[in-house]
């Protein structure tokens, strides 16, 4: 949350002093490359949307031609850093008081824009039309407010995981985020502005206003102003948060002396809003109590109306939005209480992290239809987004009037369209992450400390990856400051970007590294590891072939686990391994002996004695020893059994994970010395596909569409997930509709202790979906 420092010369005014500066790198970013604008102007807040192109560095690998003279080089491939242009959406929210200065700033920094029109929506679009056209020199084209709202809502529900949440005031975690359902329709949107609009949304462009009420946010504001003489909306909520409504409202027990059992009414239920004001001896009620009573009255009315329409149209998903909500905890609590009461828990009140941007997003999409933005997947850029803030009613309204608070959301267009893995047993209930740090305070404190402690090492690694760039140290220091600020924010507001998880902490770090042009800090380490490991490949395969069948199966599994031990992303390993390990056998010394912490090996061995799988999808992990000496021998065994294999690797770099570009080169080199791998590639029985991810963890609900298509076409019946990030931090409890194998070595002592094991404990989890024939699997599952 960036703030504009500076004080108005007239504190009572709502105009922004010209002396207040807006740093372009903090708020209106990439304006020089802005292509298209949209604006949503409400009664008090303006939401600006624009599209820009962002130039950033990407690490590319290119294979050396080993038939030419350059074959003298010991390196398998060369690494180059190239400039790439991608699309980014910017959404900025600020108070109308600062619209003039903001428009001036945009005009001054707008170098070139292809569009001559700015799409506008919201009640203030007409009021500020002339000002916008004069300041920006763009024609204002007004769009229907409700159409924009629905378009924006559909967009965020589809593209932002953990967009929707349930608010539980008295729970350990106030915010309980919902998993992204691949089918968002139908749903009910209750938009609470001055009045209330209730909209049934059935498809992308099919929605209907099925009801509404004149008793809404404007009613709360208007009656509140009359009762309390308070004119500001936020100040009215501040009063309500401190009030006690039972001093004003007549309760059931005030009438009956207790509960009304035969009707199922509890004694503390409101029987009559403001009922005591008519019969009380004193006519003097506090402003706080009256504001609280009024908030309950409006919220209960809206809640009951929403429930009736939800039941009438058989809808279970009800989203609430509008200026009445605005992320205020006291408002969300009263709405939630009302919904729970009237539906007895059958319908949940759902709120949206980016509710304030829906209209602006929709208006932008209307203007960008020629670019087909819905054909792409988008992802939130954690480095550039403010995140969901806890808007405390205790904030002095005058402080807001003077400082001007700017809230930002940035979304990057992803190169690949992302979809669910078709083999998820129930996509609607799939949760990628094993531990929700927003709900586990001890785990949250540990992991935040862990990432902060590792920050110096990441900075050094980033600088070392670009030795020829003099300004690398300066950029690395900016990265350090930004990521540390993110960690501090998450310590106080763990819900800022949805559920806080190890995955989101890793992804935020990657986004911040990319922000300062460190696309792949581990590139040279990976290159060195790959070069060394390749020298031992033939020796490893030869030693495996000399074993009996049963001995070989265990050696293959142990090889994958041993290879996964060596991980520069794990402190326990990087502390011990100061030089790259030279052979697979060196890794084995770290592994715990059987029985492992989770041990389904016997069941896996029995399965391997049976008929071969048709196709195995293998999500791979690290470069070097892991992929070359661990995974590839395992893959060649599957191929030899007649099983097709699809290797899914990261689309972009993350820590020392192997990327698809690197894997293509490695596999070609291995094929040149291994006829089994060569035949697999030649006969299209071994296929390398991008996962669509650039994370050390794995979200099976956001995978490359091409990968999903391959999985269907090949009738995949086995999924193998390898590594601590993909199989323990994420997907440990993932339920698949086919057989699955999850393999990992726990390289974090705190996590090992949490799971009831010790450092380098092994997880070998073979699972068969219920109803499919299998041997009984007796596994010890971490509690």
């Amino acid at each position: 949350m960036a703030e504009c420092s500076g004080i108005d010369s007239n504190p009572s005014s709502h105009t922004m002093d010209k002396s207040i500066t807006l740093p372009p790198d903090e708020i209106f970013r990439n304006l020089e490359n802005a292509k298209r604008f949209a604006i949503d102007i409400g009664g008090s807040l303006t939401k600006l949307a624009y599209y820009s192109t962002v130039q950033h560095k990407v690490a590319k690998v290119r294979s050396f031609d080993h038939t030419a003279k350059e074959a003298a080089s010991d390196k398998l491939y060369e690494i180059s850093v190239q400039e790439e242009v991608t699309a980014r959406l910017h959404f900025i929210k600020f108070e109308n008081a600062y619209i003039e200065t903001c428009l001036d700033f945009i005009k001054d920094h707008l170098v070139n824009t292809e569009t001559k029109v700015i799409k506008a929506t919201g009640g203030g679009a007409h009021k500020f039309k002339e000002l916008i056209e004069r300041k920006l020199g763009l024609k204002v084209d007004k769009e229907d407010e409700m159409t924009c709202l629905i378009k924006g809502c559909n967009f965020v529900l589809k593209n932002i995981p953990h967009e929707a949440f349930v608010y539980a005031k008295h729970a350990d975690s106030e915010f309980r985020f919902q998993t992204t359902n691949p089918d968002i329709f139908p749903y009910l949107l209750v938009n609470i502005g001055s009045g209330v609009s209730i909209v049934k949304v059935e498809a992308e462009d099919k929605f209907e206003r099925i009801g509404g009420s004149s008793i809404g946010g404007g009613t709360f504001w208007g009656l509140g102003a009359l009762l309390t003489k308070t004119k500001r909306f936020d100040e009215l909520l501040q009063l309500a948060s401190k009030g006690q409504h039972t001093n004003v409202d007549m309760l059931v027990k005030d009438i009956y002396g207790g509960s009304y059992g035969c009707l199922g009414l509890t004694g503390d239920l409101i029987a009559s809003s403001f009922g005591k004001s008519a019969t009380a001896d004193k006519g003097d009620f506090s402003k706080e109590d009256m504001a609280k009573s009024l908030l309950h009255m409006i919220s209960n009315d809206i809640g009951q109306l929403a429930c009736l329409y939800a039941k009438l149209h058989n809808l279970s998903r009800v989203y609430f939005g509008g200026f009445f909500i605005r992320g205020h905890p006291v408002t969300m609590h009263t709405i939630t209480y009302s919904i729970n009461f009237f539906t007895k828990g059958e319908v949940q009140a759902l709120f949206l992290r980016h509710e304030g941007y829906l209209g602006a997003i929709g208006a932008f999409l209307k203007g960008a239809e020629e670019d087909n933005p819905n054909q792409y997947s988008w992802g939130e850029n954690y480095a550039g987004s403010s995140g969901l803030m806890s808007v405390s009613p205790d904030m002095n309204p005058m402080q807001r009037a003077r400082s001007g608070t700017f809230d930002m959301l940035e979304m990057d267009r992803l190169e690949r369209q992302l979809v669910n893995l078709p083999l998820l047993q129930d996509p609607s209930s799939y949760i990628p992450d094993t531990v929700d740090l927003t709900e586990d305070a001890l785990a949250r404190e540990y992991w935040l400390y862990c990432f902060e402690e590792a920050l110096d090492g990441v900075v050094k690694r980033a600088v070392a990856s670009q030795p020829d760039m003099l300004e690398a140290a300066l950029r690395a220091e900016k990265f350090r400051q930004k990521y540390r600020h993110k960690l501090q924010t998450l310590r106080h507001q763990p819900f800022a970007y949805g559920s806080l998880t190890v995955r989101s902490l890793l992804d935020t770090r990657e986004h911040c590294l990319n922000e300062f042009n460190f696309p792949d800090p581990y590139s040279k380490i990976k290159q060195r590891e790959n070069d060394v490991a390749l020298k031992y490949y033939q020796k490893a395969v030869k030693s495996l072939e000399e074993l009996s069948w049963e001995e070989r199966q265990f050696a293959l599994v142990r090889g994958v686990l041993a290879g996964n031990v060596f991980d520069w992303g794990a402190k326990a390993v990087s502390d011990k391994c100061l030089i790259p390990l030279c052979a697979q056998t060196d890794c084995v010394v770290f592994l715990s002996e059987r029985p492992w912490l989770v041990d389904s090996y016997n069941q896996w061995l029995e399965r391997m004695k049976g008929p071969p799988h048709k196709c195995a999808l293998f999500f791979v992990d690290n470069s070097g020893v892991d992929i070359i000496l661990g995974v590839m021998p395992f893959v060649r065994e599957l191929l030899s059994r007649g099983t097709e294999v699809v290797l899914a690797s990261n689309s972009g770099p993350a820590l020392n994970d192997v990327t698809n570009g690197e894997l293509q080169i490695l596999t070609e080199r291995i094929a040149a010395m291994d006829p089994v791998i060569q035949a697999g590639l030649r006969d299209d029985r071994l296929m390398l596909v991008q996962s669509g991810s650039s994370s050390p963890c794995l979200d099976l609900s956001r995978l490359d569409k091409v990968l999903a298509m391959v999985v269907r076409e090949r009738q995949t019946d086995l999924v193998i997930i390898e590594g601590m990030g993909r199989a323990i931090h994420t997907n440990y409890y993932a339920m698949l509709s086919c057989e699955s194998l999850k393999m990992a070595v726990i390289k974090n002592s705190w996590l090992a202790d949490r799971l009831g094991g010790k450092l380098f404990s092994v997880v070998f989890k073979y699972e068969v979906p219920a109803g499919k024939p299998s041997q009984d699997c007796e596994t010890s599952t971490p509690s």
Side-chain angles (χ1 to χ4, degrees):
M1 179 84 64
E3 290 193 348
C4 302
S5 58
I7 300 176
D8 290 341
S9 57
N10 177 8
S12 64
S13 74
H14 294 298
T15 57
M16 198 173 189
D17 194 297
K18 280 286 187 179
S19 65
I20 297 174
T21 57
L22 308 175
D25 59 332
E26 290 298 326
I27 300 174
F28 296 98
R29 299 177 354 131
N30 303 310
L31 263 178
E32 66 276 10
N33 298 319
K35 304 292 184 189
R36 186 175 284 107
F37 286 89
I39 198 164
D40 174 16
I41 309 176
S44 57
L45 294 173
T46 292
K47 286 76 68 176
L48 180 74
Y50 63 94
Y51 161 98
S52 75
T53 51
V54 182
Q55 198 164 28
H56 61 97
K57 293 187 182 341
V58 292
K60 299 282 188 181
V61 295
R62 183 181 73 90
S63 178
F64 281 115
D65 181 5
H66 289 271
T67 61
K69 290 183 180 179
E70 61 180 346
S73 169
D74 290 335
K75 291 184 171 58
L76 174 66
Y77 55 82
E78 63 175 338
I79 306 161
S80 63
V81 175
Q82 301 173 13
E83 292 288 340
E84 197 169 87
V85 176
T86 56
R88 177 172 290 171
L89 300 180
H90 305 257
F91 304 99
I92 301 147
K93 182 165 59 179
F94 55 89
E95 293 172 61
N96 289 354
Y98 310 103
I99 189 170
E100 190 161 346
T101 299
C102 289
L103 290 174
D104 280 338
F105 185 89
I106 293 167
K107 181 185 178 183
D108 292 343
H109 291 82
L110 194 60
V111 177
N112 180 39
T113 179
E114 296 172 359
T115 183
K116 300 301 178 188
V117 174
I118 181 169
K119 292 287 185 180
T121 190
H126 179 74
K127 178 181 177 182
F128 291 99
K129 179 176 183 290
E130 186 180 328
L131 176 69
I132 296 167
E133 291 184 337
R134 176 164 48 85
K135 292 284 187 182
L136 297 185
L138 301 175
K139 181 180 179 297
V140 171
D141 187 4
K142 199 170 183 308
E143 291 290 343
D144 176 69
E145 193 171 354
M146 195 56 65
T147 301
C148 292
L149 191 71
I150 302 303
K151 269 191 172 294
C153 191
N154 293 341
F155 184 83
V156 296
L157 287 174
K158 286 181 177 179
N159 287 283
I160 305 182
H162 297 167
E163 173 62 29
F165 62 89
V166 172
Y167 183 77
K169 182 180 180 182
H170 301 297
D172 292 338
S173 175
E174 294 175 284
F175 299 82
R176 294 180 180 173
F177 295 92
Q178 306 293 295
T179 55
T180 305
N181 192 315
D183 183 12
I184 65 171
F185 306 112
Y187 65 84
L188 197 68
L189 178 63
V190 180
N191 193 56
I192 314 170
S194 299
V196 179
S197 287
I198 300 177
V199 186
K200 178 183 179 181
V201 185
E202 297 181 89
E204 191 66 48
D205 294 308
K206 186 181 179 184
F207 61 89
E208 177 188 3
R209 186 183 187 278
I210 57 174
S213 173
S214 62
I215 301 172
T219 313
F220 174 68
W221 199 350
L223 279 177
L226 291 173
L227 290 168
T228 68
K229 310 304 179 189
T230 299
K231 296 293 185 183
R232 292 180 64 86
F233 188 82
D234 286 342
E235 194 173 344
L236 193 59
L237 280 173
Q238 181 188 10
L239 290 173
S241 70
K242 297 176 179 177
Q244 180 55 260
H245 76 97
T246 55
N247 292 334
V248 182
D249 292 340
M250 186 177 289
L251 308 182
V252 168
K253 65 184 177 184
D254 295 325
I255 300 174
Y256 297 102
S259 301
Y260 195 165
C262 67
L263 291 182
L265 303 177
T266 59
D268 59 357
L269 190 68
I270 299 173
S272 175
S273 295
F274 289 92
K276 287 181 181 175
S277 62
T279 58
D281 293 334
K282 61 172 187 174
D284 188 21
F285 295 93
S286 75
K287 292 181 179 181
E288 290 82 0
D289 293 347
M290 289 190 290
K292 188 61 171 283
S293 175
L294 182 61
L295 183 66
H296 275 289
M297 184 181 80
I298 302 294
S299 298
N300 286 338
D301 185 66
I302 294 171
Q304 185 171 30
L305 201 59
C307 292
L308 290 171
Y309 276 106
K311 284 184 173 293
L312 184 64
H313 292 269
N314 197 28
L315 297 172
S316 59
R317 282 176 285 192
V318 183
Y319 299 102
F320 288 85
F323 93 88
F324 183 67
I325 306 294
R326 279 171 58 183
H328 286 293
V330 66
T331 311
M332 293 189 293
H333 174 64
T334 52
I335 288 280
T336 299
Y337 181 87
S338 172
I339 290 290
N340 288 341
F341 174 78
F342 287 117
T343 70
K344 295 181 172 58
E346 291 178 9
V347 174
Q348 284 186 320
L350 292 163
F351 305 95
L352 301 169
R353 278 205 293 137
H354 301 102
E355 176 271 322
Y357 295 115
L358 302 186
I361 292 171
F364 175 84
L365 292 171
K366 287 288 287 183
E369 283 176 342
E370 63 195 60
D371 294 336
N372 297 317
N374 284 321
Q375 287 187 359
Y376 300 95
S377 289
W378 300 80
E380 183 171 3
N381 175 23
Y382 295 141
S385 290
S386 303
L388 177 69
M389 299 298 181
S390 179
V391 184
S392 172
D394 295 332
M395 181 185 286
N396 186 331
M398 287 309 298
Q399 289 177 344
R400 287 181 60 84
R402 293 184 179 192
S403 67
T405 302
F406 287 76
D407 186 67
M408 292 162 289
L409 163 65
E410 288 187 357
M411 298 187 71
D412 289 330
R413 191 174 79 188
L414 306 178
E415 293 303 310
R416 323 194 70 76
Q417 196 166 0
L418 304 183
V419 298
N420 278 301
L421 176 69
L423 298 170
L424 281 174
Q425 201 170 84
D426 180 13
S428 64
S429 64
Y430 168 69
I431 299 173
D433 304 286
T434 305
V435 178
D436 186 344
L437 302 181
T438 51
E439 297 183 358
D440 190 329
L442 285 175
R444 177 170 72 246
E445 190 51 43
Y446 169 76
W447 284 110
L448 286 170
Y449 167 78
C450 197
F451 276 87
E452 193 154 9
E453 187 186 37
L455 193 49
D456 286 346
V458 177
V459 169
K460 288 178 184 175
R461 183 80 57 211
V463 174
S465 72
Q466 298 179 359
D468 301 329
M469 297 187 180
L470 298 176
E471 84 293 352
L474 179 61
R475 284 186 284 112
E477 185 56 36
K478 287 182 177 179
F479 154 74
R480 182 208 304 271
Q481 292 171 8
K482 180 151 224 172
Y483 189 58
R484 178 171 286 148
H485 174 70
K486 293 287 181 186
L487 292 176
Q488 289 167 351
T489 298
L490 290 166
R491 183 167 272 114
H492 299 294
Q493 294 158 203
F495 47 79
Y497 298 99
S499 291
L500 180 64
T501 62
V502 172
R503 174 169 63 103
S504 68
L505 288 169
L506 285 164
D507 290 350
T508 302
R509 189 168 70 184
E510 292 297 321
H511 290 186
C512 290
L513 282 166
N514 285 324
E515 191 70 27
F516 296 102
N517 278 322
F518 293 105
D520 194 356
Y522 286 81
S523 57
K524 288 182 170 56
I525 290 174
K526 289 190 290 181
Q527 183 186 41
R528 188 166 70 245
E529 289 176 10
N530 289 332
D531 288 336
V532 170
L534 273 171
K535 292 181 173 65
Y536 292 87
Y537 179 79
Q538 286 177 302
K539 178 183 175 182
V541 168
K542 186 173 185 295
S543 64
L544 286 166
E545 288 178 335
E546 291 171 354
L547 300 174
S548 68
W549 182 87
E550 195 153 318
E551 288 174 329
R552 187 167 73 249
Q553 301 315 304
F554 184 68
L556 287 166
V557 165
R558 192 176 61 168
V560 173
L561 293 167
N564 194 244
V565 168
F566 186 58
D567 186 352
W568 278 97
K571 186 177 186 298
V573 178
S574 57
D575 283 352
K576 292 177 182 290
C577 309
L578 301 179
I579 57 173
L581 299 177
C582 294
Q584 188 184 39
T585 52
D586 292 330
C587 297
V588 175
V589 298
F590 291 113
L591 294 182
S592 60
E593 295 296 322
R594 289 191 68 200
W596 293 322
L597 179 62
V598 178
D599 196 335
S600 304
Y601 177 73
N602 291 342
Q603 290 74 35
W604 171 252
L605 183 64
E606 287 303 309
R607 174 62 186 86
M608 289 295 281
K609 292 175 181 177
H613 297 90
K614 178 165 180 33
C615 177
L617 168 63
F618 200 137
F619 289 100
V620 299
D621 193 11
N622 303 321
S623 291
V625 173
D626 189 346
I627 185 69
I628 295 169
L629 301 182
V631 171
M632 280 304 186
F634 195 95
V635 166
R636 80 189 299 276
E637 182 75 11
L638 291 174
L639 289 170
S640 299
R641 281 171 53 83
T643 300
E644 295 179 2
V645 179
V646 177
L647 289 181
S649 54
N650 272 9
S651 298
L655 295 177
N656 63 326
D657 293 356
V658 66
T659 63
N660 184 259
E662 292 159 351
L663 187 56
Q664 296 280 354
I665 295 170
L666 293 175
T667 307
E668 287 172 12
R669 183 64 183 275
I670 290 171
M673 50 178 150
D674 186 340
V676 176
I677 299 296
Q678 187 178 63
L681 289 174
R682 183 191 63 226
D683 300 337
D684 199 29
R685 292 173 51 248
L686 173 59
M687 190 173 184
L688 279 54
V689 184
Q690 299 186 46
S691 68
S693 171
S694 298
S695 170
C697 297
L698 181 65
D699 183 351
L700 297 176
S701 69
R702 286 173 70 80
L703 294 177
D704 183 4
K705 190 175 182 180
V706 173
L707 175 59
M709 183 179 68
V710 169
V711 165
R712 282 196 192 93
E713 288 177 349
R714 305 232 166 184
Q715 299 175 33
T716 301
D717 53 356
L718 172 65
V719 173
I720 304 171
I721 306 176
E722 177 214 8
M724 198 166 76
R726 290 166 177 79
I728 294 180
H729 288 314
T730 52
N731 299 303
Y732 186 80
Y733 297 113
M735 303 296 291
L736 301 175
S737 60
C738 69
E739 294 173 54
S740 65
L741 187 57
K742 299 166 187 174
M743 294 186 280
V745 179
I746 302 173
K747 294 163 285 189
N748 176 280
S749 55
W750 181 90
L751 180 60
D753 184 63
R754 248 298 172 97
L755 296 175
K758 57 186 179 181
L759 195 63
F760 303 119
S761 289
V762 169
V763 169
F764 187 89
K765 194 177 186 184
Y766 169 60
E767 295 176 302
V768 179
K772 294 208 173 184
S774 68
Q775 289 75 27
D776 293 329
C777 299
E778 296 179 2
T779 63
S780 56
T781 304
S783 56

